[in-house]
Amino acid sequence: MARSNGVTRMRYVLFCLAKNWVFCAAFALGLVLRVITMLGFPPAIWFGGDSVSYLSTALHLSPGTSRQSGYGIMLFALRPFHSFFVVTAVQHLMGMAIAVTIYALLRRYGLPGWGATLAALPVLLDVYQIQVEHEILATAAFGFMAMAALTLILWWHGERPLWATVTAAVLLGTASTMWPIGLPLLILFFLYLIIRKAGWRAVAAALAAGALPLAMYLGWFDSTYHRVAFNYSDGIFLWSRTMTFADCAIIKPPADETGLCPRVPAAKRPAASIFIWERNSPLNSLPGAKFSHGKNELAMNFALRAIAAQPAAYIRDALDDFALTFSWNKPPHPSAQYRSRYQFTYATDDWASAATGRALARDQRRYTGGSLAPTKAVQPFAGWMQFYQRFGYVRGTMLAAGLLIGFAAIAGSWTRGGFGRPRGWGGPALFPCAVAMTILLIPNLTADFSERYAVPAMPAVCLAAAFAFLPRRARILAEPGIDVPGTEPAGAVTLCTEPLAPAPAAG
């Protein structure tokens, strides 16, 4: 009987694959591109001080001061394999899993297979998505956790099981330890639960579950530096944001902050983030390490004064950078050199200074058990990906179009009476749109534009846009608060829409 059940399940899986051959073909193509990347640029791509900091955390289990270091814990967990090839393989699998969840979620809501596949294509085929999966950076892991949480939040049409709410909150809390944007997403989830009238039990459980990884990280940081904080860089990045417009004649900072004033006219200033790293940065005129508690606190105070004194200039510059997200061509921001960091053509450059490069080489040996792990460009595979990068990506203008379609889906739910029903307010596109906007906008308000930030937002944009094209019946069923006699909930839609005939009884 057990063997018969196993055969039946296998037949069911094979039948589902045959039914969804369009997605299977797209999935296979995405897999091939990732295999070519791994063959072309072994074992991983390094990204200057960011990668060095994460690797140091994995080796010493101490958080960095310049960024959230939760990704270093993931590297630590994979350390027994002594291979960065394994790290990038895991990250590529995370990217593929994101595409699968997009497809599965949209099929569950009633979108046809070809439509759900179309929504998953950007994640499967976008070359910058593939590249961040191959880098020793937190981007791929953060994107995977955010999408896993989003799937759990949207999977159920009616009341969501408490375990799913708790798991989604834990995922977003953990993502917050990898990238600061995770915290606004967690807050957004709490607000979503309240708007959707999920009940006090679900909200309280989400608060407790989401706070757990945050509290653990704060305790870890405190045990190392004897201060409760996530990093010593949030003030410095916000200060850099103000450097494009700050006028100390208007701000009138106190004496201990005057050293942070910009030294050139606003018209001649570089992009915001350049102020942190350039040799003549005002930060370097102050005593102490660049990412220290005292300097970070001083920079935060200055930044808040600047924003309060020049709010219109702050909003204008932040929105100008935000608009770069939607450019047709990739903008050379914050500089042409930084733009090069996102190209496979320069993958063999670790972007590290001499001192940082020595630290990187030392830590590579420690992680692998004695071997260096510089990025190699292996032909012809490297050349294929460099060629593919010329056209194989989602342009910013396309991302803008996807967001607009998602907003149209929200507006469409209002025309069907969703505006007056909190449980159905905004329809299923509401939360993906809010997630995408948060990921894309917040970095420009707190630091600077980077094209890398658009990558983890792309799955949410694809979901939001796809929800606008649900079949009429599925669209109505997807909005909580609407009851249609004689119909099944959207949750009844399965990946394999034609049931397999039962196997004959074992005889």
Side-chain angles (χ1 to χ4, degrees), residues 245-295:
F245 66 84
D247 184 344
C248 282
I250 299 174
I251 300 168
K252 298 180 173 59
D256 60 340
E257 296 175 18
T258 55
L260 292 171
C261 291
R263 298 168 181 172
V264 296
K268 297 182 179 180
R269 296 176 196 173
S273 56
I274 296 293
F275 280 86
I276 300 176
W277 312 109
E278 69 172 351
R279 183 177 301 177
N280 297 321
S281 170
L283 283 174
N284 298 334
S285 65
L286 302 179
K290 179 169 291 184
F291 296 104
S292 59
H293 169 70
K295 192 173 288 190

Side-chain angles (χ1 to χ4, degrees), residues 36 89 119 233 266 312 319 353 356 368 396 441 476 485 487 502 504:
I36 292 173
S233 63
L319 291 181
S353 64
T356 304
T368 62
L441 179 60
I476 294 173
T487 58

Side-chain angles (χ1 to χ4, degrees), residues 333-349:
H333 187 94
S335 68
Q337 182 186 27
Y338 275 85
R339 171 73 181 83
S340 300
R341 296 189 181 199
Y342 305 110
Q343 301 300 308
F344 276 126
T345 304
Y346 300 92
T348 56
D349 193 329

Side-chain angles (χ1 to χ4, degrees), residues 70-406:
Y71 175 67
I73 301 299
M74 176 183 143
L75 294 181
F76 171 78
L78 296 174
R79 188 181 178 187
F81 293 99
H82 301 292
S83 170
F84 293 108
F85 186 87
V86 170
V87 173
T88 54
V90 168
Q91 292 179 174
H92 284 306
L93 289 175
M94 287 178 172
M96 300 295 286
I98 291 173
V100 170
T101 58
I102 291 174
Y103 179 83
L105 191 57
L106 292 173
R107 292 290 284 135
R108 186 168 175 84
Y109 273 80
L111 205 67
W114 66 267
T117 301
L118 190 63
L121 275 182
V123 176
L124 287 171
L125 306 183
D126 184 271
V127 72
Y128 291 98
Q129 169 71 39
I130 296 170
Q131 184 167 347
V132 299
E133 294 167 12
H134 204 64
E135 295 173 332
I136 303 301
L137 289 176
T139 311
F142 172 89
F144 171 75
M145 289 188 176
M147 188 60 202
L150 189 56
T151 302
L152 287 170
I153 292 165
L154 295 176
W155 188 258
W156 285 269
H157 162 69
E159 185 176 352
R160 186 185 310 103
L162 189 61
W163 69 264
T165 298
V166 167
T167 305
V170 169
L171 285 168
L172 291 176
T174 304
S176 302
T177 71
M178 296 187 173
W179 193 31
I181 304 304
L183 185 55
L185 294 183
L186 183 59
I187 295 171
L188 199 65
F189 181 37
F190 298 150
L191 295 175
Y192 182 76
L193 290 174
I194 294 170
I195 290 173
R196 286 287 195 252
K197 291 190 174 181
W200 68 266
R201 185 173 299 176
V203 175
L207 281 169
L212 181 61
L214 300 178
M216 293 175 66
Y217 190 93
L218 291 171
W220 181 37
F221 196 94
D222 181 53
S223 68
T224 305
Y225 301 107
H226 309 294
R227 290 189 182 276
V228 178
F230 289 107
N231 54 59
Y232 288 159
S233 63
D234 53 352
I236 289 172
F237 277 98
L238 188 60
W239 165 83
S240 73
R241 170 69 279 168
T242 68
M243 285 296 95
T244 56
F245 66 84
D247 184 344
C248 282
I250 299 174
I251 300 168
K252 298 180 173 59
D256 60 340
E257 296 175 18
T258 55
L260 292 171
C261 291
R263 298 168 181 172
V264 296
K268 297 182 179 180
R269 296 176 196 173
S273 56
I274 296 293
F275 280 86
I276 300 176
W277 312 109
E278 69 172 351
R279 183 177 301 177
N280 297 321
S281 170
L283 283 174
N284 298 334
S285 65
L286 302 179
K290 179 169 291 184
F291 296 104
S292 59
H293 169 70
K295 192 173 288 190
N296 187 58
E297 192 173 53
L298 207 64
M300 178 65 79
N301 292 338
F302 181 98
L304 295 177
R305 293 181 202 279
I307 293 170
Q310 300 177 267
Y314 165 68
I315 293 172
R316 180 198 64 221
D317 285 10
L319 291 181
D320 283 348
D321 283 354
F322 175 60
L324 295 175
T325 306
F326 309 115
S327 303
W328 180 256
N329 294 312
K330 298 289 184 180
H333 187 94
S335 68
Q337 182 186 27
Y338 275 85
R339 171 73 181 83
S340 300
R341 296 189 181 199
Y342 305 110
Q343 301 300 308
F344 276 126
T345 304
Y346 300 92
T348 56
D349 193 329
D350 59 22
W351 304 102
S353 64
T356 304
R358 288 192 295 270
L360 176 60
R362 180 190 66 237
D363 286 350
Q364 285 175 348
R365 287 193 175 98
R366 289 177 179 174
Y367 194 88
T368 62
S371 303
L372 285 172
T375 308
K376 301 180 180 67
V378 179
Q379 301 300 342
F381 310 106
W384 291 348
M385 291 309 296
Q386 289 164 357
F387 172 74
Y388 182 66
Q389 196 164 39
R390 297 179 187 177
F391 59 88
Y393 62 93
V394 175
R395 294 182 179 271
T397 312
M398 299 175 183
L399 201 67
L403 271 175
L404 290 175
I405 294 171

